[in-house]
């Protein structure tokens, strides 16, 4: 720090001396100043150009150019604007909330250093939204109040980053209210939304719609349905005139919920479908999901079973589709606070080092210009080389840290998403059949009161069937949990003489009919070649059955995927065979799917590795199968595959196994 304090007065002294004694050099300095002004315009243009891009690569390309140029010419406001734009890219394109929040803090620090009030207020406003999205309401409120106080004291208007041409104070008040709504503190929410409305912010000559329909949401949550309905209806034409067309989706979603509360089922369906059938409902995922659920509930109350099932399934499909994205975001933010502190320290050190090098460079440059050009040139080259080495070393360290963190987060994310998705389906069935059984019990009681024993018995039979299904899916969930735990602990099963042919045949048919039950369009041929002299083998039947079932299910999956692509020209086929070979029994599962690439073949027995789409596999099946065969039974599990022709898995079990 002492060097930089000395360097600045030294630079000023040298510049003053040069200007006083040498007019050509003074003219050169004026030219440099004019070029710097042009560079600041170029930085602003690059930021604007980045905001216009729809592809992440192009957006990053322009904003990085702007950031490097801003740092080069020490254009602090432009540097902060670039960080603000990079934060937006991390959120909108990459869902990287950890990196995005760090970018916002970088921008906030610079805006504060240069006392740029508008930038400080805008950055606080963005931070509150990001923290609310990840459920950190305390920090969300802290930044929202900071924005509101700055905006109110300085009458701040937004730029293109936020609320262009309009005051930030009413927006900050509305955002505070929205956070309180999510915290279910409705009185506080109503207080701040009313303050926002009283600001009377205008868009296109009309009132701003956002705080109006937020007020309707609060009234709806408080049970004042008549007043809420009037408020929602008054907000619709405002949203249209404000050209906030996606806000209308939020209003219609709120109206469908309101009508569900008042049991006006046709209105529930009408307004919910307006959201569901809009051109881009996924942009408002929360309200889209809420509307689908409202439709399903309305049809259920109307007794329309087909439509109820249709929209219930659709609801779970949409929910699952955004489930993994939300989980990815949640995983990214694990330990974020500690990481943020570390990055702030590193960032401050890097900026100090950069400033120090800049001042030393300028001082050295001016002194060397005064003394001799050749010496200046040599020194400049050395400085550039040093800067490149330091930058390369810094990038290497950062890349190494990011790779280590990415590996940890990827493993945790796959495990979390896999377990949650596998458990969710049976739980959905348990919940749905439980609700239906409850309703059937009410109906049975009504029939008993009427004396209609025949109808009551029929309902009782339905209840029994539902309970059987609940039991079935409960056991299914239990088996999934046990399956997840199998990989981390050895089996406690007892080996017993088992007919391998019968076991393989049983699980072949179980796999086939199980897939048919899930997907009626699934169809594939299968053949068996069982050697009669195989006899019985001393194994744990449940464990070996699980291995065979897993291999056959995978085989059916790959041939079905190939059938979807090739249609008429391809006939899916799975073959299961057994034979006795010396002192071993060989079980083979063969398919004529697309085969496995050599690069993938090396990883297929690793835990959590899967080539299936997200949500369709946990990556534990083959790993667990390998452990059962090799560690549990002293056998071998091998794979042979040829791309475009198919894959063969071979289980080799010794005949002289001991119990």
């Amino acid at each position: 720090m002492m060097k930089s304090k000395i360097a600045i007065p030294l630079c000023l002294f040298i510049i003053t001396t040069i200007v006083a004694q040498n007019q050509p050099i003074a003219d050169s300095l004026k030219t440099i100043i004019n070029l710097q002004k042009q560079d600041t315009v170029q930085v602003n243009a690059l930021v604007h150009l980045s905001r216009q891009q729809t592809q992440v690569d192009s957006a990053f390309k322009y904003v990085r150019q702007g950031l490097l140029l801003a740092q080069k010419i020490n254009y602090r406001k432009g540097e902060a604007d670039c960080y603000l734009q990079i934060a937006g890219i991390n959120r909108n394109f990459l869902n990287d909330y950890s990196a995005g929040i760090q970018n916002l803090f970088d921008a906030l620090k610079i805006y504060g250093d240069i006392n740029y009030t508008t930038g400080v207020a805008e950055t606080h406003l963005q931070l509150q939204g990001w923290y609310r999205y990840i459920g950190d309401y305390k920090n969300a409120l802290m930044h929202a109040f900071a924005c509101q106080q700055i905006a109110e004291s300085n009458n701040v208007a937004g730029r293109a980053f936020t609320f262009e041409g309009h005051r930030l104070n009413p927006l900050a008040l509305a955002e505070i209210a929205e956070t309180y709504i999510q915290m279910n503190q409705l009185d506080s929410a109503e207080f701040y939304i009313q303050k926002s409305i009283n600001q009377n912010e205008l868009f296109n000559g009309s009132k701003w719609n956002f705080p109006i329909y937020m007020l309707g949401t609060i009234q709806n949550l408080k049970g004042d349905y008549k007043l809420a309905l009037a408020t929602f209806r008054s907000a619709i034409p405002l949203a249209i005139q404000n050209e906030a067309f996606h806000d209308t989706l939020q209003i219609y979603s709120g109206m469908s919920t309101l009508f569900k509360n008042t049991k006006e089922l046709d209105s529930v369906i009408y307004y919910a479908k307006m959201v569901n059938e809009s051109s881009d409902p996924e942009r408002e995922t929360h309200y889209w999901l809420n509307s689908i659920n409202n439709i399903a509930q309305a049809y259920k109350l109307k007794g329309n079973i087909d439509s109820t099932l249709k929209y219930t399934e659709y609801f779970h499909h949409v929910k699952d589709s955004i489930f993994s994205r939300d989980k990815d975001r949640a995983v990214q933010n694990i330990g974020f606070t500690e990481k943020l502190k570390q990055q702030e320290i590193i960032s401050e050190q890097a900026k100090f080092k950069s400033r120090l090098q800049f001042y030393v460079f300028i001082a050295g440059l001016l002194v060397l210009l005064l003394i001799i050009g050749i010496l200046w040139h040599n020194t400049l080259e050395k400085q550039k080389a040093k800067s490149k080495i330091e930058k390369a070393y810094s990038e290497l360290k950062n890349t190494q840290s990011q790779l280590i963190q990415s590996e940890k987060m990827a493993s945790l994310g796959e495990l979390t998403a896999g377990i949650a998705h596998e458990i969710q389906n049976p739980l959905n069935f348990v919940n749905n059949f439980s609700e239906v059984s409850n309703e059937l019990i009410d109906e049975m009681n009504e029939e008993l009161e009427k004396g209609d024993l025949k109808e009551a018995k029929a309902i009782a039979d339905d209840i029994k069937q539902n309970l059987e299904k609940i039991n079935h899916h409960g056991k299914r969930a239990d088996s999934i949990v046990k399956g997840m735990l199998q990989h981390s602990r050895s089996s406690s099963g007892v080996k017993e003489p088992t007919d391998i042919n019968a076991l393989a045949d049983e699980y072949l048919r179980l796999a086939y009919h199980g897939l048919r039950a899930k997907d009626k369009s699934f169809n594939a041929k299968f053949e068996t070649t069982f050697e009669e002299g195989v006899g019985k083998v001393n194994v744990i039947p449940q464990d070996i059955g699980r291995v065979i079932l897993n291999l056959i299910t995978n085989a059916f999956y790959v041939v079905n995927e190939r059938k979807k692509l090739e249609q008429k020209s391809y006939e899916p086929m799975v073959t299961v065979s057994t034979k006795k070979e010396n002192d071993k029994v060989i079980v083979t599962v063969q398919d004529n799917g697309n085969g496995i690439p050599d690069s993938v073949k090396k990883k297929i027995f690793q835990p959590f590795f899967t080539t299936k789409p997200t949500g369709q596999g946990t990556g534990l099946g083959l790993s667990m199968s390998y452990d059962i065969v090799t560690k549990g039974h002293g056998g071998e599990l091998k794979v042979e595959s040829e791309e475009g022709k198919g894959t063969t898995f071979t289980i080799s079990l010794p005949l002289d196994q001991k119990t």
Side-chain angles (χ1 to χ4, degrees):
M1 195 65 179
M2 184 60 69
K3 291 181 180 179
S4 65
K5 289 181 178 179
I6 295 171
I8 294 171
L10 177 61
C11 291
L12 292 173
F13 171 75
I14 294 170
I15 292 170
T16 304
T17 304
I18 292 171
V19 172
Q21 298 181 2
N22 196 322
Q23 187 59 38
I25 295 178
D27 292 338
S28 298
L29 288 173
K30 290 178 181 178
T31 302
I32 291 171
I33 293 170
N34 290 332
L35 288 173
Q36 188 174 29
K37 289 181 180 178
Q38 294 175 17
D39 286 340
T40 61
V41 173
Q42 187 177 351
V43 171
N44 296 335
L46 287 166
V47 174
H48 179 75
L49 190 58
S50 174
R51 286 202 300 273
Q52 307 306 312
Q53 303 306 307
T54 58
Q55 299 295 324
V56 63
D57 291 340
S58 300
F60 259 130
K61 171 187 172 183
Y62 292 116
V63 76
R64 281 171 178 158
Q65 289 178 5
L67 180 61
L68 290 173
L69 180 57
Q71 291 173 337
K72 179 180 177 181
I73 65 174
N74 199 30
Y75 178 33
R76 301 286 284 157
K77 176 183 173 296
E79 183 181 359
D81 288 346
C82 289
Y83 280 126
L84 213 59
Q85 172 61 10
I86 293 171
I89 295 171
N90 278 319
R91 176 177 183 175
N92 299 328
F93 289 97
L94 303 177
N95 290 323
D96 191 345
Y97 280 66
S98 175
I101 292 177
Q102 176 61 58
N103 299 142
L104 291 175
F105 275 110
D106 290 338
L108 186 64
K109 175 69 169 59
I110 295 172
Y111 286 142
D113 288 344
I114 63 176
N115 199 28
Y116 183 50
T117 308
T118 299
V120 172
E122 282 183 329
T123 309
H124 277 303
L125 189 64
Q126 292 206 28
L127 279 166
Q128 69 83 27
W130 287 47
Y131 275 116
R132 184 174 64 228
Y133 187 85
I134 63 175
D136 188 347
Y137 300 125
K138 180 180 178 181
N139 272 317
L141 286 174
M142 180 186 74
H143 287 288
F145 279 118
C147 171
Q148 188 270 324
Q149 290 166 6
I150 294 169
E152 186 178 41
S153 301
N154 299 276
N155 197 26
V156 175
R159 300 177 296 162
F161 285 103
T162 51
F163 204 39
E164 189 171 8
H166 295 276
R167 294 173 298 148
L168 290 184
N169 187 37
L171 177 58
L173 291 167
E175 294 291 350
I176 292 168
E178 186 170 2
T179 301
Y180 276 124
I181 289 174
Q182 294 191 22
M183 295 171 69
N184 201 31
Q185 296 183 23
L186 301 182
D187 289 337
S188 296
E190 187 172 12
F191 173 79
Y192 284 100
I193 207 66
Q194 197 60 60
K195 288 187 70 174
S196 178
I197 293 171
N198 292 341
Q199 293 284 315
N200 197 31
E201 189 66 19
L202 300 179
F203 282 75
N204 299 327
S206 67
K207 286 185 178 180
W208 182 31
N209 61 278
F210 178 70
I212 303 296
Y213 74 73
M214 289 296 292
L215 178 61
T217 300
I218 296 168
Q219 293 164 345
N220 187 23
L221 290 170
K222 284 189 169 185
D224 195 346
Y225 303 128
K226 184 176 180 181
L227 185 58
L229 181 59
T231 304
F232 280 138
R233 284 175 172 164
S234 69
I236 293 172
L238 296 178
I240 294 171
Q241 187 167 349
N242 295 163
E243 297 181 354
F245 299 113
H246 277 279
D247 286 357
T248 61
L249 301 186
Q250 299 183 26
I251 300 170
Y252 294 143
S253 176
M255 291 177 73
S256 73
T257 301
L258 184 151
F259 285 121
K260 184 179 73 173
N261 294 335
T262 59
K263 309 298 183 184
E264 295 176 63
L265 304 182
D266 290 335
S267 295
V268 173
I269 296 168
Y270 174 80
Y271 285 102
K273 282 188 174 181
M274 290 183 72
V275 178
N276 185 47
E277 295 171 4
S278 65
S279 60
D280 187 15
E282 193 170 5
R283 182 172 169 183
E284 302 289 346
T285 52
H286 172 76
Y287 299 97
W288 181 26
L289 201 61
N290 180 61
S291 297
I292 298 170
N293 185 53
N294 286 348
I295 296 172
Q297 294 295 319
Y299 277 126
K300 181 179 179 181
L301 293 172
K302 287 169 73 73
N304 190 330
I305 297 174
D306 291 341
S307 295
T308 301
L309 289 174
K310 171 186 172 182
Y311 282 97
T312 299
E313 290 175 1
Y314 184 39
F315 171 81
H316 291 299
H317 170 74
V318 173
K319 186 177 181 181
D320 285 348
S321 71
I322 52 183
F323 171 80
S324 60
R325 289 182 299 180
D326 291 342
K327 281 298 177 185
D328 287 344
R329 292 167 184 162
V331 169
Q332 286 175 357
N333 287 286
I334 292 175
F336 169 75
T337 302
E338 185 60 31
K339 179 181 176 183
L340 189 61
K341 290 179 181 177
Q342 294 173 356
Q343 288 180 339
E344 272 191 286
I345 294 171
I346 294 170
S347 177
E348 284 301 312
Q349 290 174 344
K351 289 174 184 176
F352 169 74
K353 191 174 183 180
S354 176
R355 286 195 298 267
L356 184 61
Q357 289 173 349
F358 177 77
Y359 295 140
V360 172
F361 172 76
I362 293 297
L365 175 62
L366 292 173
V367 171
L368 291 173
L369 278 173
L370 191 61
I371 300 173
I372 184 168
I374 296 174
L375 183 60
W376 168 83
H377 177 75
N378 291 338
T379 303
L380 180 62
E381 289 301 315
K382 290 179 182 179
Q383 193 72 17
K384 287 181 178 179
K386 179 183 176 183
S387 178
K388 287 179 181 178
I389 292 170
E390 289 175 345
K391 183 178 179 182
Y393 178 68
S394 176
E395 288 177 352
L396 181 63
K397 287 181 69 177
N398 288 339
T399 302
Q400 184 182 27
S401 299
Q402 290 171 5
L403 284 173
I404 293 171
Q405 186 66 14
S406 295
E407 284 296 318
K408 292 179 181 179
M409 293 298 101
S411 297
L412 180 58
E414 288 174 6
L415 177 61
T416 304
I419 292 175
H421 184 77
E422 289 295 318
I423 294 295
Q424 189 63 47
N425 286 335
L427 288 182
N428 287 340
F429 280 107
V430 169
N431 291 335
N432 290 339
F433 283 119
S434 297
E435 290 180 11
V436 172
S437 296
N438 245 346
E439 295 172 0
L440 287 173
I441 289 172
D442 293 337
E443 292 178 15
M444 184 177 70
N445 288 333
E446 291 176 5
E447 297 300 329
L448 288 172
E449 289 177 2
K450 294 177 184 177
D452 190 344
L453 295 178
K454 183 178 179 181
E455 183 63 24
K457 288 180 179 179
I459 295 172
D461 290 339
D462 290 340
I463 295 172
K464 183 179 179 182
Q465 291 177 9
N466 286 351
L467 292 174
E468 289 173 351
K469 291 175 181 176
I470 291 171
N471 181 258
H472 167 74
H473 290 290
K475 289 180 178 178
R476 179 183 168 200
D478 181 63
S479 68
I480 291 169
V481 174
K482 289 179 179 176
M484 296 295 176
L485 296 175
Q486 284 293 330
H487 196 78
S488 61
R489 63 186 183 193
S490 58
S491 172
S492 60
V494 178
K495 293 180 180 177
E496 57 187 73
T498 303
D499 187 338
I500 289 295
N501 288 347
L503 190 69
D505 186 69
E506 175 188 351
Y507 280 101
L508 170 62
R509 300 183 189 284
L510 177 62
Y512 179 81
H513 292 297
L515 290 170
R516 286 280 296 166
K518 293 178 182 177
D519 182 5
K520 298 300 182 185
S521 66
F522 167 79
N523 200 8
K525 288 186 177 181
F526 59 86
E527 292 180 352
T528 58
T529 307
F530 297 149
E531 185 176 299
E532 292 183 1
V534 168
K536 294 187 176 182
V537 184
N538 210 29
V539 296
I540 303 171
Q542 311 95 295
D543 289 358
I544 295 299
R546 186 180 296 112
V547 174
I548 294 171
L549 178 63
N550 181 263
L551 297 180
I552 294 172
T553 301
N554 286 348
F556 279 134
Y557 175 85
V558 296
V559 298
N560 190 44
E561 290 299 303
R562 184 172 178 179
K563 178 66 176 176
K564 292 177 182 177
L565 296 175
E566 301 185 19
Q567 298 296 326
K568 298 180 181 179
S569 62
Y570 170 74
E571 187 67 31
M573 172 65 73
V574 174
T575 303
V576 182
S577 61
T578 62
K579 66 178 180 179
K580 187 176 180 181
E581 189 174 282
N582 298 327
D583 59 343
K584 296 179 181 179
V585 169
I586 308 297
V587 182
T588 304
V589 178
Q590 184 177 14
D591 66 72
N592 63 342
N594 285 319
I596 305 172
D598 290 338
S599 59
V600 175
K601 201 185 302 180
K602 299 175 183 178
K603 305 177 183 178
I604 59 173
F605 294 120
Q606 294 178 7
F608 308 114
F609 178 81
T610 179
T611 58
K612 295 179 181 178
T614 303
Q616 293 188 25
T618 61
L620 285 170
L622 286 176
S623 173
M624 188 172 62
S625 298
Y626 186 86
D627 285 352
I628 290 172
V629 173
T630 58
K631 298 178 182 178
H633 292 81
E636 293 180 313
L637 178 58
K638 298 180 179 178
V639 59
E640 296 178 1
S641 184
E642 186 173 351
E643 285 190 71
K645 292 188 176 181
T647 303
T648 301
F649 281 89
T650 303
I651 306 170
S652 178
L653 298 170
L655 284 170
D656 58 344
Q657 296 182 70
K658 297 180 181 180
T659 57

